[in-house]
Amino acid sequence: MQIVTLLSSPGVHISCEVFPPKDFAKVDEVKAVVADIAALTPAYVSVTYGAAGNTPQFTREIAQTVQAAGVPALAHLTCVNDTISKIDAVLDSLQAAGVDNVLALRGDIPEGASFPSGDHFTHAAQLVRYVKARGGFCVGAACYPEGHPEATSRAQDMDFLKRKVDAGVDFLTTQLFFDNATLYHFMYRALRAGIDVPVCAGIMPVINARQIKRIAALSGATLSPRFWSIVDRFGGDAASMRQAGVAYATEQIIDLIANGVENIHLYTMNRVDVARDVFRNLGVIIGK
Ligand code: FAD
């Protein structure tokens, strides 16, 4: 099923994310994660693309496992490290596997900026346009409520996002954020810029204090004062921090739904227990 059709239908849609293994030895482990996540009946499951794009076969295999479990799969695809012919090969293999939803991303610029020799893309918008022209895929893309870390201003970032959407994006997924007001401001600015495709709000339940600085550095997301208080109070005790992190994410989701944001993407990081707790907390609200 095309994810844009699902996201455009009435009701709350909660999706989950899994990352594929780095080597063959862990494939079965991740497949077991997929089976447990699929049992929660998320709207869809997205499967990330290894940084530097060197394990596309695992993204495809895990996406195929998601679909075999009866859940639509969204395969991530980055372009900055790959030639166009490699991207074509990945798209061919996804199509052959029956995966017809792709999240088209640039990826992070490699250290030293050594782009592949041969034809390649430098921005996600070029990949979006290419995949749409090829046909057969519903294409999502990333957006950043606080602006992408490389952008010189939010206005410029919104301008580039609009160009990406105009290239054919069917839906957007946001970078994680900890303060819902950030998302509401972003949605307002996006609408003013003429962006009206469905937007999935990205929520990450942060369940241990060690993750926090790394996540903030990688994503560029600001940690809200409310969240810092939780870390200060509970960060030293793993069980309390886990419970508080799940509660914080649940509360964020309830507030989003209450304010009409009904497409939500959970950055589950292969933590089935955490996904299960969030789904359980939302219970009747999401009809589970
Ligand atoms: P782009 O849309 O190309 O934007 C990148 C930067 O370039 C922005 O600052 C933008 O303002 C600017 N820009 C855009 N167009 C132009 C232009 N024409 N001229 C000049 N500047 C321009 N990474 C992975 O490696 N694997 C994954 O699976 C993965 N999944 C992700 C999922 C989500 C939901 C998100 C939010 C991010 C994900 N990432 C993943 C990280 C992503 O690859 C990085 O954030 C990357 O730095 C930017 O990717 P993008 O697709 O947003 O790039």
Side-chain angles (χ1 to χ4, degrees), residues 12-93:
V12 177
H13 309 106
I14 304 209
S15 53
C16 294
E17 182 161 299
V18 296
F19 56 84
K22 287 201 177 74
D23 56 66
F24 188 71
K26 295 265 170 66
V27 168
D28 284 346
E29 214 174 278
V30 180
K31 285 185 177 178
V33 166
V34 167
D36 289 343
I37 288 197
L40 302 173
T41 62
Y44 65 89
V45 171
S46 76
V47 186
T48 63
Y49 199 71
N54 42 17
T55 54
Q57 72 278 16
F58 294 140
T59 299
R60 196 237 325 114
E61 190 169 346
I62 298 302
Q64 220 173 345
T65 307
V66 169
Q67 301 219 141
V71 178
L74 170 65
H76 293 202
L77 173 63
T78 66
C79 60
V80 77
N81 291 296
D82 292 334
T83 59
I84 296 177
S85 54
K86 179 170 170 199
I87 286 167
D88 263 326
V90 174
L91 291 168
D92 286 345
S93 77

Side-chain angles (χ1 to χ4, degrees), residues 48-49 76 105-108 123-124 142 144 148 157 160 164 267:
T48 63
Y49 199 71
H76 293 202
L105 300 148
R106 185 196 70 181
D108 285 317
H123 295 293
Y144 303 81
H148 183 267
D157 202 41
F160 287 134
K164 187 157 68 173
Y267 288 104

